[in-house]
Amino acid sequence: MSVVESLPPRPLDPEELLQLNAAEALELAVPIEDEGRVSGVLVATDTWVKGLALDAAEPSWTVVETVTLDDETERVDGLQACEAAILRFRGDDPETLTPADAPGSFEPTPPDATDAADDSET
C-alpha cells in the first residue's frame, strides 16, 4: 500500500501526521499548514520529495508533485517546489502570497534591532 493509499479521505489530525512522520518508509513528513488539521503534506525519502494534497472534491489525497533528488537537486529545493505545487493545486499563486497569508513555510521577519531602538526613542 502506498503512502497516499494509506491516508484517510479527510484532513489529517496532528497525531496522524506524527504517525506518518514516524513511518519507516519516509524520512520526513511535514504539513504546509502551521497548525490544526492538515490538507497539504510534504513527504520525503533520500531519493525523492512528494507534495500531497487533499482533493476535497473527491475526497481523497493526490500526489500533486514529485521531485527526484540527485546531485543537482537538493531536498530543500524539492520541498519548495512541492509546496508551491500544493498551493497551485488549491488555487493559490505561490508567487503572490505574503507571509501573513502563506500556509506554513514563510516566517515573518522579526524587526531589526535598530528599528526597535528607533521606535523606543519616539
Side-chain angles (χ1 to χ4, degrees), residues 34 96-109:
D34 284 331
T96 63
L97 287 179
T98 65
D101 60 2
S105 67
F106 299 98
E107 292 291 329
T109 305

Side-chain angles (χ1 to χ4, degrees), residues 4 7-12 38-41 52-55 59-63:
V4 174
L7 298 176
R10 58 171 172 68
L12 300 176
V38 176
S39 61
V41 179
L52 311 178
L54 181 66
D55 184 349
S60 65
W61 288 85
T62 187
V63 177

Side-chain angles (χ1 to χ4, degrees), residues 33-120:
E33 292 88 1
D34 284 331
E35 58 187 45
R37 300 187 80 190
V38 176
S39 61
V41 179
L42 304 170
V43 294
T45 68
D46 61 342
T47 59
W48 52 257
V49 176
K50 294 181 185 280
L52 311 178
L54 181 66
D55 184 349
E58 289 300 320
S60 65
W61 288 85
T62 187
V63 177
V64 296
E65 182 72 50
T66 300
V67 175
T68 302
L69 303 178
D70 55 29
D71 292 339
E72 297 172 14
T73 307
E74 294 186 28
R75 180 178 285 173
V76 68
D77 298 324
L79 292 169
Q80 291 172 344
C82 289
E83 181 177 25
I86 292 169
L87 294 173
R88 284 191 296 276
F89 180 81
R90 293 178 172 181
D92 295 323
D93 180 359
E95 300 299 319
T96 63
L97 287 179
T98 65
D101 60 2
S105 67
F106 299 98
E107 292 291 329
T109 305
D112 186 65
T114 56
D115 291 341
D118 292 343
D119 291 341
S120 64

